[in-house]
Amino acid sequence: MGKWFKSGSPWIWMTGGAVSISLIAVLGLLLLIAWRGLSYFWPAQIYQWEVVDQQGKRSTIIGEIYDKEAVPTERLVSAGHKFSEDPGELVTRYLIKTGNREFVGLDFRWVLETDILSRTIPEDVAKLERAKNGDFFGYPIAIIEDGKRLPLKDVEASFEEHIDRAVALSDKATSLQKSEIGAINYALENLRLKQRRYELDNALTDSRKLELQAERDKLQAEYQVLEKAFFDLRAEAGRDAVIVRDMRGEEVTLKLDSILGVTYSNRLGILGKLGHWFSGVGNFVSADPREANTEGGVFPAIFGTVFMVMLMAVIVTPFGVVAAIYLHEYAKKGPITKMIRIAVINLAGVPSIVYGVFGLGFFVYMLGGSIDQLFYPEALPAPTFGSPGVIWSALTLAILTLPVVIVSTEEGLSRIPSSVRQGSLALGATKAETLWRIIIPMASPAIMTGLILAVARAAGEVAPLMLVGVVKLAPTLPIDMNFPFVHLERKFMHLGFHIYDVGFQSPNVEAARPLVYATSFLLVSVIVSLNLTAIAVRNHLREKYRSLEH
């Protein structure tokens, strides 16, 4: 036994066991997040309950079982609940998603099992997903088509086609509003700023006034045409409606342009539910958020996260590599260099919120404000670059992750044998040529390692971004078809902040909980995808320049 301990085998087994436990814990956590998040898109059965309240009044509830738990009877009795019979030590209660927000208040309600008289699974009940006010549960009974009421049994085969038609027209109207009408508004604003600049320069002549007015009149004429087309599309989309009998037994008329889809969950088989699940996941990834981010998709947050991280990588890599090359190849060893290295290492331990305060003060107010004074005086007092935006977020995170890139690059440079440098210099190459053709290519895998670590940290940071650019809802993306096409001054959405906002700032916590898990899993997937791409590039560079090591 003593020889076994002296051989070091126990420490190897302990290390392997610790790594295995850590790996299992991480995978288990990811699986839990994935299950809780992705199961949200699986169509659940819709039940109809007959319940009785404490006053003996009967009512009908239609909805989905969202959660259930066992509650001690003593706690319910102390809260004032009265039981006609002894229910035992524990009572099961169900959290039911009832929807129909405008008629029954909140989307969810708790129902005790002892208050349930009956429960059925009707096939004709449907869940209608709406653009506003959440889901609506009920029995579709008729369609109003061009002012005529048609029983649903006569047009049930084309019910979804009616909805698809209204959705397509609404999407077309929204696209027209965002693209062509938005471009005209953007051009009109540029004309206003151009005229303002002429006024500040005392160069607004009569000819320029006429020229600007002619352009403005032309744009206004185009705007009138597009505006008429927009309202025609909206009117055509809202032409039809569906009549639904809800849990109160009343008929409710819902415009089809407010309905995104209808699902008869109780009629679906396994393949139908699987198709519905894939459709739900696809919409979550590709659609815009709505209803205070508690419904819809997260595409703007995905785009903002990836765009900001890539911009940060473009900024931090050259600065980090140049700093590391200077410290390792050019700087003389002395107290000043030693202090710089200590400062770089200490920067890695500074809390991220401090970087956010620095970015707000230096980048946004000082640098951005100076840019506005020099290049955009016509827009003042409204800031252009003097307010939080994606460029300042990228710069702030670049400073935050700079120590990681510097340290990783220096380690890669230190692993290159000095004989390689001496051989290159002996063959007549200059020091700059040696660095560019030999040293940097050989150190590129280490540079990519630093970039991987930087991306992993930057993609998950939230605290500094709350000060320098991220917002709850960004109406436009940083990239569009308006010149100069890339708008670095715009605010953006971020998956990390989206998780915080949905999980802690949502007015409907129960509805938002699954989206927190789904968005968390999506954020991890985005980070893993970015890291795998960087790892693939690193491996390619390692193989490409392996011959230089020999």
Side-chain angles (χ1 to χ4, degrees):
M1 182 64 70
K3 292 182 179 180
W4 186 62
F5 272 100
K6 291 180 180 180
S7 66
S9 296
W11 315 119
I12 296 175
W13 281 102
M14 288 177 63
T15 303
V19 172
S20 301
I21 292 173
S22 301
L23 184 61
I24 292 172
V26 171
L27 291 177
L29 178 63
L30 289 178
L31 288 175
L32 174 64
I33 294 174
W35 170 256
R36 294 295 299 269
L38 297 179
S39 61
Y40 170 74
F41 304 103
W42 188 264
Q45 282 189 323
I46 304 174
Y47 296 92
Q48 178 172 314
W49 290 270
E50 299 295 331
V51 298
V52 61
D53 58 17
Q54 289 290 285
Q55 289 73 33
K57 182 181 178 181
R58 296 193 177 194
S59 60
T60 301
I61 299 176
I62 297 177
E64 301 171 343
I65 295 179
Y66 209 70
D67 197 4
K68 70 176 182 179
E69 63 180 14
V71 184
T73 304
E74 183 180 354
R75 193 172 84 184
L76 295 172
V77 172
S78 61
H81 195 89
K82 299 179 181 179
F83 297 96
S84 57
E85 299 178 0
D86 183 15
E89 186 176 350
L90 298 173
V91 177
T92 302
R93 67 174 182 176
Y94 299 94
L95 180 61
I96 301 173
K97 181 179 180 180
T98 58
N100 306 22
R101 188 181 301 164
E102 64 268 42
F103 300 111
V104 295
L106 295 177
D107 290 348
F108 297 85
R109 67 170 68 180
W110 286 100
V111 176
L112 294 175
E113 189 175 34
T114 54
D115 294 339
I116 298 175
L117 301 177
S118 64
R119 184 177 73 176
T120 58
I121 308 176
E123 290 189 356
D124 295 334
V125 70
K127 180 174 76 171
L128 290 87
E129 183 182 1
R130 299 184 293 174
K132 293 181 180 180
N133 293 325
D135 297 332
F136 195 94
F137 294 93
Y139 298 88
I141 57 177
I143 286 182
I144 299 177
E145 182 178 348
D146 200 13
K148 299 179 181 178
R149 174 166 175 155
L150 304 175
L152 187 64
K153 61 182 180 180
D154 297 337
V155 292
E156 187 170 2
S158 61
F159 182 30
E160 294 188 7
E161 295 179 4
H162 281 74
I163 295 177
D164 292 341
R165 171 188 171 277
V167 170
L169 290 171
S170 297
D171 290 344
K172 190 175 180 180
T174 303
S175 177
L176 180 66
Q177 184 181 32
K178 288 184 176 180
S179 58
E180 298 180 47
I181 295 179
I184 290 179
N185 288 328
Y186 187 78
L188 288 171
E189 177 64 14
N190 285 337
L191 285 177
R192 186 189 69 83
L193 295 176
K194 188 177 181 179
Q195 180 173 341
R196 174 64 176 162
R197 177 177 281 274
Y198 286 149
E199 292 175 353
L200 292 175
D201 296 339
N202 293 321
L204 185 60
T205 62
D206 292 337
S207 60
R208 284 178 172 171
K209 283 184 179 180
L210 293 175
E211 180 182 347
L212 292 172
Q213 188 60 42
E215 293 182 22
R216 192 176 291 111
D217 291 341
K218 181 181 178 182
L219 290 173
Q220 288 287 359
E222 294 178 4
Y223 182 86
Q224 295 296 331
V225 174
L226 293 174
E227 186 182 41
K228 183 178 182 304
F230 170 77
F231 284 115
D232 289 344
L233 287 172
R234 292 294 299 270
E236 186 67 16
R239 185 196 68 181
D240 301 336
V242 60
I243 299 176
V244 185
R245 190 174 69 251
D246 64 2
M247 66 182 70
R248 302 169 301 162
E250 299 183 7
E251 295 185 359
V252 179
T253 302
L254 303 175
K255 291 284 188 178
L256 289 187
D257 60 346
S258 67
I259 299 175
L260 302 176
V262 58
T263 305
Y264 289 91
S265 301
N266 297 340
R267 297 181 183 179
L268 294 177
I270 294 298
L271 293 179
K273 290 185 177 181
L274 193 61
H276 186 278
W277 183 84
F278 277 110
S279 176
V281 173
N283 289 334
F284 178 70
V285 174
S286 61
D288 293 339
R290 62 179 191 273
E291 294 291 306
N293 291 345
T294 58
E295 294 182 13
V298 292
F299 175 75
I302 298 173
F303 185 91
T305 302
V306 175
F307 182 75
M308 187 272 299
V309 168
M310 293 179 67
L311 185 60
M312 182 275 303
V314 171
I315 295 171
V316 73
T317 302
F319 281 102
V321 171
V322 168
I325 290 175
Y326 174 77
L327 290 173
H328 191 272
E329 301 291 335
Y330 290 95
K332 295 181 180 179
K333 295 183 178 179
I336 296 179
T337 305
K338 188 175 182 180
M339 289 178 60
I340 292 175
R341 293 182 189 278
I342 293 174
V344 169
I345 294 173
N346 288 337
L347 278 176
V350 175
S352 60
I353 190 65
V354 176
Y355 285 99
V357 174
F358 170 79
L360 181 65
F362 180 74
F363 290 132
V364 178
Y365 293 151
M366 186 178 298
L367 187 57
S370 300
I371 291 175
D372 285 350
Q373 291 286 346
L374 291 174
F375 300 105
Y376 302 97
E378 67 276 8
L380 294 174
T384 302
F385 281 91
S387 65
V390 63
I391 181 62
W392 309 133
S393 298
L395 283 170
T396 302
L397 291 186
I399 295 178
L400 187 148
T401 56
L402 187 62
V404 177
V405 178
I406 293 176
V407 172
S408 179
T409 304
E410 273 205 271
E411 290 179 355
L413 293 172
S414 63
R415 286 198 296 266
I416 300 174
S418 58
S419 58
V420 173
R421 297 178 176 84
Q422 295 169 359
S424 175
L425 296 173
L427 292 173
T430 65
K431 189 169 185 178
E433 290 175 335
T434 301
L435 282 171
W436 184 254
R437 297 180 178 272
I438 304 297
I439 304 303
I440 293 179
M442 292 182 66
S444 57
I447 296 173
M448 291 303 301
T449 300
L451 183 60
I452 291 168
L453 297 174
V455 166
R457 182 175 182 186
E461 286 290 349
V462 177
L465 298 181
M466 295 171 67
L467 300 175
V468 291
V470 75
V471 290
K472 177 185 179 73
L473 183 63
T476 54
L477 298 177
I479 295 179
D480 58 22
M481 298 306 295
N482 297 320
F483 183 83
F485 309 118
V486 179
H487 307 274
L488 300 180
E489 77 281 2
R490 288 182 181 174
K491 297 175 177 62
F492 67 103
M493 295 182 66
H494 187 273
L495 285 171
F497 182 77
H498 190 82
I499 294 170
Y500 163 76
D501 177 68
V502 173
F504 299 97
Q505 303 295 319
S506 173
N508 198 340
V509 178
E510 297 296 343
R513 187 187 303 167
L515 293 181
V516 172
Y517 287 105
T519 309
S520 301
F521 180 71
L522 186 59
L523 177 59
V524 173
S525 301
V526 168
I527 295 174
V528 170
S529 300
L530 291 172
N531 286 346
L532 288 178
T533 303
I535 290 171
V537 174
R538 182 186 65 182
N539 293 339
H540 173 73
L541 293 173
R542 184 175 293 166
E543 293 297 325
K544 182 179 180 179
Y545 297 112
R546 186 181 296 275
S547 60
L548 294 177
E549 299 178 3
H550 305 289

